[in-house]
Short mmCIF file of all heavy atoms in Angstrom, two decimals:
data_model
loop_
_atom_site.label_atom_id
_atom_site.label_comp_id
_atom_site.label_asym_id
_atom_site.label_seq_id
_atom_site.Cartn_x
_atom_site.Cartn_y
_atom_site.Cartn_z
N SER A 1 -1.57 8.97 2.45
CA SER A 1 -2.46 7.81 2.58
C SER A 1 -1.65 6.52 2.68
O SER A 1 -0.51 6.45 2.16
CB SER A 1 -3.42 7.73 1.40
OG SER A 1 -4.22 8.90 1.32
N THR A 2 -2.23 5.50 3.31
CA THR A 2 -1.51 4.24 3.50
C THR A 2 -2.45 3.05 3.34
O THR A 2 -3.67 3.18 3.47
CB THR A 2 -0.87 4.15 4.90
OG1 THR A 2 -1.92 4.28 5.89
CG2 THR A 2 0.18 5.23 5.11
N VAL A 3 -1.83 1.90 3.06
CA VAL A 3 -2.52 0.61 3.14
C VAL A 3 -2.03 -0.05 4.42
O VAL A 3 -0.82 -0.13 4.66
CB VAL A 3 -2.21 -0.28 1.92
CG1 VAL A 3 -2.85 -1.65 2.09
CG2 VAL A 3 -2.69 0.39 0.65
N ARG A 4 -2.98 -0.52 5.25
CA ARG A 4 -2.60 -1.08 6.54
C ARG A 4 -2.96 -2.56 6.63
O ARG A 4 -4.04 -2.97 6.20
CB ARG A 4 -3.26 -0.31 7.68
CG ARG A 4 -2.72 1.10 7.83
CD ARG A 4 -3.33 1.83 9.03
NE ARG A 4 -2.71 3.13 9.21
CZ ARG A 4 -1.63 3.36 9.95
NH1 ARG A 4 -1.06 2.34 10.58
NH2 ARG A 4 -1.12 4.58 10.05
N PHE A 5 -2.02 -3.30 7.18
CA PHE A 5 -2.20 -4.72 7.44
C PHE A 5 -2.39 -4.84 8.96
O PHE A 5 -1.42 -4.87 9.70
CB PHE A 5 -0.99 -5.52 6.98
CG PHE A 5 -0.75 -5.43 5.49
CD1 PHE A 5 -0.19 -4.29 4.93
CD2 PHE A 5 -1.12 -6.47 4.66
CE1 PHE A 5 0.02 -4.19 3.56
CE2 PHE A 5 -0.91 -6.39 3.29
CZ PHE A 5 -0.35 -5.24 2.73
N GLY A 6 -3.64 -4.85 9.37
CA GLY A 6 -3.89 -4.68 10.79
C GLY A 6 -3.50 -3.26 11.16
O GLY A 6 -4.00 -2.29 10.59
N SER A 7 -2.55 -3.12 12.07
CA SER A 7 -2.08 -1.78 12.48
C SER A 7 -0.79 -1.38 11.80
O SER A 7 -0.28 -0.28 12.03
CB SER A 7 -1.88 -1.75 14.00
OG SER A 7 -0.89 -2.70 14.39
N ILE A 8 -0.25 -2.26 10.94
CA ILE A 8 1.05 -2.01 10.30
C ILE A 8 0.85 -1.46 8.89
O ILE A 8 0.18 -2.09 8.05
CB ILE A 8 1.90 -3.30 10.24
CG1 ILE A 8 2.07 -3.90 11.63
CG2 ILE A 8 3.26 -3.00 9.61
CD1 ILE A 8 2.77 -2.98 12.63
N ALA A 9 1.41 -0.30 8.62
CA ALA A 9 1.27 0.33 7.31
C ALA A 9 2.32 -0.16 6.34
O ALA A 9 3.49 -0.38 6.72
CB ALA A 9 1.37 1.85 7.45
N ALA A 10 1.93 -0.33 5.10
CA ALA A 10 2.89 -0.66 4.04
C ALA A 10 3.81 0.53 3.82
O ALA A 10 3.39 1.69 3.95
CB ALA A 10 2.16 -1.01 2.76
N THR A 11 5.05 0.26 3.48
CA THR A 11 6.02 1.33 3.25
C THR A 11 6.45 1.41 1.79
O THR A 11 7.06 2.40 1.39
CB THR A 11 7.26 1.12 4.13
OG1 THR A 11 7.82 -0.17 3.84
CG2 THR A 11 6.89 1.19 5.61
N GLU A 12 6.17 0.36 1.00
CA GLU A 12 6.57 0.35 -0.41
C GLU A 12 5.33 0.34 -1.30
O GLU A 12 4.51 -0.59 -1.23
CB GLU A 12 7.43 -0.87 -0.72
CG GLU A 12 8.77 -0.88 -0.02
CD GLU A 12 9.61 -2.08 -0.43
OE1 GLU A 12 10.07 -2.12 -1.59
OE2 GLU A 12 9.78 -3.00 0.40
N TYR A 13 5.19 1.37 -2.15
CA TYR A 13 4.05 1.49 -3.06
C TYR A 13 4.58 1.62 -4.49
O TYR A 13 5.51 2.38 -4.75
CB TYR A 13 3.22 2.73 -2.70
CG TYR A 13 2.63 2.66 -1.31
CD1 TYR A 13 3.37 3.10 -0.21
CD2 TYR A 13 1.37 2.15 -1.09
CE1 TYR A 13 2.84 3.03 1.08
CE2 TYR A 13 0.82 2.09 0.19
CZ TYR A 13 1.56 2.52 1.27
OH TYR A 13 1.05 2.44 2.54
N THR A 14 4.00 0.85 -5.39
CA THR A 14 4.44 0.89 -6.79
C THR A 14 3.41 1.56 -7.69
O THR A 14 3.72 1.88 -8.85
CB THR A 14 4.72 -0.53 -7.31
OG1 THR A 14 3.54 -1.33 -7.14
CG2 THR A 14 5.88 -1.17 -6.52
N TYR A 15 2.19 1.78 -7.18
CA TYR A 15 1.16 2.44 -8.00
C TYR A 15 0.07 2.97 -7.08
O TYR A 15 -0.27 2.33 -6.08
CB TYR A 15 0.56 1.44 -9.01
CG TYR A 15 -0.49 2.04 -9.92
CD1 TYR A 15 -0.12 2.78 -11.02
CD2 TYR A 15 -1.84 1.85 -9.65
CE1 TYR A 15 -1.08 3.35 -11.86
CE2 TYR A 15 -2.81 2.40 -10.49
CZ TYR A 15 -2.42 3.14 -11.59
OH TYR A 15 -3.37 3.69 -12.41
N TRP A 16 -0.48 4.14 -7.43
CA TRP A 16 -1.59 4.68 -6.65
C TRP A 16 -2.50 5.48 -7.57
O TRP A 16 -2.05 6.36 -8.31
CB TRP A 16 -1.08 5.60 -5.53
CG TRP A 16 -2.15 5.93 -4.51
CD1 TRP A 16 -3.21 6.78 -4.69
CD2 TRP A 16 -2.27 5.41 -3.20
NE1 TRP A 16 -4.00 6.82 -3.57
CE2 TRP A 16 -3.44 5.99 -2.62
CE3 TRP A 16 -1.51 4.53 -2.43
CZ2 TRP A 16 -3.86 5.71 -1.33
CZ3 TRP A 16 -1.93 4.24 -1.15
CH2 TRP A 16 -3.09 4.81 -0.61
N SER A 17 -3.78 5.14 -7.54
CA SER A 17 -4.80 5.91 -8.26
C SER A 17 -6.06 5.91 -7.43
O SER A 17 -6.12 5.29 -6.35
CB SER A 17 -5.06 5.31 -9.64
OG SER A 17 -5.83 4.11 -9.53
N ASP A 18 -7.08 6.57 -7.92
CA ASP A 18 -8.32 6.68 -7.15
C ASP A 18 -9.03 5.34 -7.01
O ASP A 18 -9.79 5.13 -6.07
CB ASP A 18 -9.26 7.69 -7.82
CG ASP A 18 -10.44 8.04 -6.92
OD1 ASP A 18 -10.19 8.53 -5.79
OD2 ASP A 18 -11.59 7.82 -7.33
N THR A 19 -8.73 4.39 -7.93
CA THR A 19 -9.44 3.10 -7.91
C THR A 19 -8.54 1.88 -7.73
O THR A 19 -9.03 0.76 -7.60
CB THR A 19 -10.22 2.90 -9.22
OG1 THR A 19 -9.30 2.97 -10.33
CG2 THR A 19 -11.30 3.96 -9.37
N ARG A 20 -7.24 2.10 -7.74
CA ARG A 20 -6.32 0.96 -7.60
C ARG A 20 -5.03 1.39 -6.90
O ARG A 20 -4.47 2.44 -7.21
CB ARG A 20 -6.00 0.35 -8.96
CG ARG A 20 -4.92 -0.72 -8.94
CD ARG A 20 -4.84 -1.49 -10.25
NE ARG A 20 -6.01 -2.35 -10.41
CZ ARG A 20 -6.17 -3.19 -11.43
NH1 ARG A 20 -5.23 -3.27 -12.38
NH2 ARG A 20 -7.25 -3.94 -11.51
N VAL A 21 -4.58 0.51 -6.01
CA VAL A 21 -3.32 0.73 -5.31
C VAL A 21 -2.50 -0.55 -5.39
O VAL A 21 -3.06 -1.66 -5.25
CB VAL A 21 -3.56 1.10 -3.82
CG1 VAL A 21 -2.23 1.12 -3.05
CG2 VAL A 21 -4.26 2.44 -3.71
N LYS A 22 -1.19 -0.42 -5.63
CA LYS A 22 -0.29 -1.56 -5.59
C LYS A 22 0.77 -1.28 -4.53
O LYS A 22 1.40 -0.21 -4.53
CB LYS A 22 0.38 -1.80 -6.94
CG LYS A 22 -0.58 -2.28 -8.01
CD LYS A 22 0.16 -2.62 -9.31
CE LYS A 22 -0.80 -3.13 -10.37
NZ LYS A 22 -0.08 -3.51 -11.61
N CYS A 23 0.95 -2.24 -3.63
CA CYS A 23 1.95 -2.09 -2.57
C CYS A 23 2.51 -3.44 -2.21
O CYS A 23 2.03 -4.48 -2.70
CB CYS A 23 1.33 -1.42 -1.34
SG CYS A 23 0.07 -2.43 -0.52
N LYS A 24 3.54 -3.44 -1.35
CA LYS A 24 4.17 -4.68 -0.91
C LYS A 24 3.86 -4.93 0.56
O LYS A 24 3.77 -3.99 1.35
CB LYS A 24 5.67 -4.63 -1.14
CG LYS A 24 6.05 -4.58 -2.62
CD LYS A 24 7.55 -4.64 -2.83
CE LYS A 24 7.90 -4.63 -4.31
NZ LYS A 24 9.37 -4.70 -4.53
N VAL A 25 3.69 -6.22 0.88
CA VAL A 25 3.43 -6.58 2.27
C VAL A 25 4.64 -6.18 3.10
O VAL A 25 5.77 -6.57 2.79
CB VAL A 25 3.18 -8.09 2.41
CG1 VAL A 25 2.93 -8.47 3.87
CG2 VAL A 25 2.02 -8.53 1.52
N PRO A 26 4.45 -5.37 4.15
CA PRO A 26 5.60 -4.90 4.94
C PRO A 26 6.22 -6.03 5.78
O PRO A 26 5.53 -6.97 6.20
CB PRO A 26 4.98 -3.83 5.85
CG PRO A 26 3.54 -4.21 5.95
CD PRO A 26 3.17 -4.81 4.63
N ALA A 27 7.52 -5.91 5.99
CA ALA A 27 8.24 -6.93 6.76
C ALA A 27 7.73 -7.02 8.19
O ALA A 27 7.80 -8.07 8.83
CB ALA A 27 9.73 -6.61 6.75
N ALA A 28 7.18 -5.92 8.71
CA ALA A 28 6.72 -5.90 10.11
C ALA A 28 5.31 -6.46 10.27
O ALA A 28 4.83 -6.59 11.42
CB ALA A 28 6.78 -4.47 10.65
#
């Protein structure tokens, strides 16, 4: 699974659960 900023997927994730996700805005 991924978090997408428009069509660009985040590549760095620090936490993932069924109700919360933490990730970093991708450089691209």
Side-chain angles (χ1 to χ4, degrees):
S1 300
T2 58
V3 175
R4 292 184 175 271
F5 297 77
S7 61
I8 305 299
T11 57
E12 294 183 70
Y13 298 87
T14 57
Y15 181 80
W16 193 287
S17 74
D18 191 58
T19 58
R20 172 168 290 184
V21 172
K22 292 185 179 182
C23 66
K24 294 184 178 181
V25 179

